[in-house]
Amino acid sequence: MRTPIIAGNWKLNMNPEQTTEFVEAVKAKLPDPSKVESLICAPAVDLDALRKAAEGSNLHIGAENCYFEDEGAFTGETSPKVLNEMGIDYVIIGHSERRGYFHETDEDINKKAKAIFANNMTPIICCGESLETREANKQEEWVVAQIKAALEGLTAEQVSSLVIAYEPIWAIGTGKTASSDQAEEMCKTIRETIKDLYNEETAENVRIQYGGSVKPANVKELMSKPDIDGGLVGGASLDPESFLALVNYQD
Ligand SMILES: O=C[C@H](O)COP(=O)(O)O
């Protein structure tokens, strides 16, 4: 049985003071973690404040990116080793904004996934097609290729424990959500791909989120789909009331 996971991705928003205020506002009202896992992924500069504020609560904490080397001459990068030492649980990798603006490749994403596992954290691997790819009806082959490349060389045990976020680029920050049927269709395809690459047990264990204009008004409908195990939420995760409505969607 997969535990749903609702994650906020704050992107380049919030400072340490706002982070502390946000956590203070939500931490007593988060759902039982056996029912829904609540997670905030924050900019690296806010992670220390996030960890301190979330201590003793049901809030998991994540980073939005990391490098694939633990240390060395890599100016400006974030070490997965240090993220683990800081008590970070999850790291988002392969977000379309990283792929697009920062030229992150499938190969980088695969190396990052391995580095995150080597440092005892869990990757959230993002995938998703552009509007152009969807209009050409090539979205399945696109996403399947991204998944195969990201998982290259990972064990069934590792894949069972990780999270995949399907985020169609045309639905991110646009207010245009994929329909719950479109989201389900791709999440099912991803699960079938993992079954083909590994086995049924691994496919049943892996958690797959949908991301792209998820908000309190549509979360319940999306979460009612059998292959959607959570949401990766940008804009609607920045407000404490909205975040609480998302994580408490079962109430
Ligand atoms: O990682 C989150 C996604 O990019 C979705 O962002 P959004 O909820 O603002 O559309």
Side-chain angles (χ1 to χ4, degrees), residues 142-154:
W142 180 271
V143 169
V144 167
Q146 285 183 323
I147 293 297
K148 285 185 175 168
L151 302 184
E152 176 72 42
L154 297 184

Side-chain angles (χ1 to χ4, degrees), residues 7-11 92 95-97 126 165 167-169 171-176 210-215 231-238:
N9 171 16
W10 280 355
K11 308 192 178 186
I92 299 173
H95 193 282
S96 59
E97 289 150 17
C126 300
E167 301 203 311
I169 298 168
I172 295 176
T174 57
K176 194 176 171 185
Y210 165 77
S213 300
V214 177
K215 38 191 180 284
L232 185 57
V233 189
S237 73
L238 292 166

Side-chain angles (χ1 to χ4, degrees), residues 6-250:
I6 304 283
N9 171 16
W10 280 355
K11 308 192 178 186
L12 194 55
N13 295 293
M14 308 290 249
N15 64 28
E17 198 182 336
Q18 292 166 323
T19 299
T20 305
E21 281 170 16
F22 179 100
V23 178
E24 288 305 323
V26 303
K27 73 177 183 187
K29 299 175 191 163
L30 297 168
D32 180 333
S34 67
K35 294 201 176 110
V36 178
E37 215 176 298
S38 310
L39 166 67
I40 290 289
C41 298
V45 288
D46 296 331
L47 290 175
D48 192 44
L50 183 60
R51 180 182 53 92
K52 284 182 183 141
E55 214 164 320
S57 77
N58 290 335
L59 187 65
H60 284 271
I61 56 178
E64 296 175 11
N65 180 36
C66 71
Y67 196 48
F68 50 74
E69 297 286 352
D70 286 347
E71 57 198 8
F74 305 106
T75 302
E77 290 293 344
T78 302
S79 160
K81 178 167 175 276
V82 176
L83 288 178
N84 177 47
E85 287 165 0
M86 288 176 74
I88 302 304
D89 308 309
Y90 290 90
V91 186
I92 299 173
I93 50 174
H95 193 282
S96 59
E97 289 150 17
R98 300 284 326 164
R99 293 178 191 256
Y101 301 135
F102 304 101
H103 313 293
E104 217 166 85
T105 65
D106 283 333
E107 196 188 347
D108 295 332
I109 293 155
N110 178 250
K111 285 185 189 165
K112 289 181 182 196
K114 288 174 179 160
I116 291 163
F117 276 121
N119 285 291
N120 302 311
M121 298 179 291
T122 303
I124 298 177
I125 301 175
C126 300
C127 58
E129 80 286 357
S130 65
L131 186 59
E132 201 184 356
T133 303
R134 180 155 285 258
E135 283 174 349
N137 201 24
K138 293 209 156 68
Q139 66 272 15
E140 282 205 13
E141 59 188 271
W142 180 271
V143 169
V144 167
Q146 285 183 323
I147 293 297
K148 285 185 175 168
L151 302 184
E152 176 72 42
L154 297 184
T155 66
E157 197 186 344
Q158 287 172 326
V159 175
S160 286
S161 71
L162 58 72
V163 179
I164 291 174
Y166 167 58
E167 301 203 311
I169 298 168
W170 47 272
I172 295 176
T174 57
K176 194 176 171 185
T177 323
S179 72
S180 55
D181 287 339
Q182 285 173 318
E184 165 62 18
E185 193 178 29
M186 188 62 85
C187 291
K188 188 168 188 241
T189 298
I190 293 169
R191 203 176 299 287
E192 277 164 4
T193 302
I194 290 171
K195 186 178 163 194
D196 293 345
L197 290 172
Y198 293 89
N199 52 50
E200 183 144 16
E201 194 190 344
T202 306
E204 282 307 312
N205 285 338
V206 67
R207 290 186 293 175
I208 306 175
Q209 299 174 312
Y210 165 77
S213 300
V214 177
K215 38 191 180 284
N218 59 22
V219 66
K220 215 169 180 155
E221 162 73 14
L222 288 160
M223 293 302 293
S224 72
K225 297 294 177 185
D227 289 292
I228 301 179
D229 307 312
L232 185 57
V233 189
S237 73
L238 292 166
D239 171 67
E241 289 310 313
S242 167
F243 181 71
L244 282 172
L246 289 164
V247 294
N248 290 304
Y249 73 91
Q250 291 177 349

